[in-house]
Amino acid sequence: MLVLLPPSEGKAPSGRGTALKLESLSLPGLTEARRAVLDELAELCAGDEDKAREVLGLSEGLRGEIAKNTELRTSGARPAGEIYTGVLYDALDLASLDTAAKRRAGRSLLVFSGLWGAVRVTDKIPSYRCSMGVRLPGLGALGAHWRTPMAAALPEAAGDGLVLDLRSSAYTGAWKPKGEVAGRTATVRVLHAPTRKVVSHFNKATKGRIVRSLLAAGAAPADPAALVEALRDLGYEVEVSPPARAGTAWALDVLVNEVH
């Protein structure tokens, strides 16, 4: 099972240890694309702060975030699972999983990123600020920048198993499962059961809990149909729409009664 996650806007501080080793990150086919973004982002943020803030879409109050990007090559790196914070990652709570579940997380979780393309939660990275929606002056829109290298690297990472796609819309454009891979991909919406309306905050929390539940239980569904059964066994109320045609993903709705 490969689980695709969005990053978080807010991130924990960089570590005090060894600096980034770009070549040590998972998915080595993305290395050159990562280097290109890293080089331009660091150069941009080391120059005109106002221009960098405009390009990165940061408010005046977030001006301090620019400094992170000037130190990407020298700041201490931490596992990505410790860098990403926020509602989804709080609910996932990787640090409190037992050893076996943490190993499963390292094998199956892949976090998408405007800067790194995608990283495993065990990959060591510094704290940074760069969303997939950024358009760098030289490289252009990052979503488009990642599309070609991702098309080569991600099907290999997916292997022949289930792909559980929990990304937000900003990150889905960088890689869209196609063909046979799409047929074993499942996407998830979180709906308020009484109203059938999509929820926002609780959407992230529920997705984090779903991933945690699967990891903690040692569940290894081989395809979307098995995922539906696994989630129901774990106590989730799930409605499913199998694909109408070959080469498209399954759509799962997880129903929740409390919105908080």
Side-chain angles (χ1 to χ4, degrees):
M1 176 175 66
L2 183 68
V3 182
L4 310 181
L5 297 175
S8 58
E9 284 194 22
K11 299 173 183 70
S14 295
R16 295 178 178 272
T18 305
L20 171 71
K21 296 180 180 178
L22 202 60
E23 293 77 10
S24 73
L25 299 181
S26 301
L27 307 180
L30 302 180
T31 299
E32 292 309 311
R34 288 168 175 151
R35 181 174 287 112
V37 180
L38 179 63
D39 288 347
E40 183 171 354
L41 182 62
E43 182 178 356
L44 170 71
C45 292
D48 186 329
E49 275 197 7
D50 288 330
K51 179 180 179 181
R53 188 165 61 82
E54 180 181 358
V55 170
L56 297 177
L58 300 177
S59 66
E60 178 65 31
L62 293 174
R63 183 181 289 270
E65 293 287 280
I66 295 169
K68 288 183 179 180
N69 295 339
T70 66
E71 301 171 349
L72 289 169
R73 295 189 181 278
T74 57
S75 295
R78 299 169 61 183
E82 298 177 10
I83 289 290
Y84 294 114
T85 60
V87 175
L88 188 154
Y89 292 92
D90 286 347
L92 174 54
D93 195 8
L94 285 169
S96 69
L97 290 171
D98 64 32
T99 301
K102 286 178 181 176
R103 284 198 295 267
R104 289 189 284 272
R107 292 193 300 267
S108 62
L109 305 189
L110 202 62
V111 184
F112 274 61
S113 162
L115 174 53
W116 315 114
V119 291
R120 298 197 183 276
V121 292
T122 51
D123 285 332
K124 293 185 177 181
I125 58 173
S127 189
Y128 68 96
R129 189 71 178 231
C130 184
S131 71
M132 190 66 80
V134 165
R135 179 183 292 272
L136 291 175
L139 291 176
L142 290 180
H145 170 76
W146 287 113
R147 212 161 287 147
T148 296
M150 288 281 199
L154 266 293
E156 181 179 353
D160 58 3
L162 168 72
V163 178
L164 175 54
D165 191 351
L166 302 179
R167 295 173 295 169
S168 53
S169 58
Y171 291 85
T172 56
W175 181 63
K176 294 182 179 179
K178 295 181 179 179
E180 186 267 336
V181 178
R184 48 186 165 85
T185 296
T187 62
V188 171
R189 293 190 308 174
V190 180
L191 304 181
H192 184 218
T195 64
R196 286 304 196 275
K197 290 183 178 179
V198 176
V199 296
S200 54
H201 174 93
F202 202 65
N203 167 63
K204 295 178 181 179
T206 301
K207 287 179 177 178
R209 290 172 187 146
I210 285 171
V211 177
R212 181 180 177 84
S213 296
L214 292 169
L215 293 172
D223 55 41
L227 172 65
V228 172
E229 293 307 311
L231 291 176
R232 287 173 175 165
D233 288 345
L234 289 167
Y236 293 93
E237 185 177 355
V238 182
E239 295 179 349
V240 59
S241 299
R245 62 184 186 278
T248 55
W250 289 52
L252 275 58
D253 288 337
V254 175
L255 307 181
V256 295
N257 288 302
E258 297 181 6
V259 181
H260 59 77

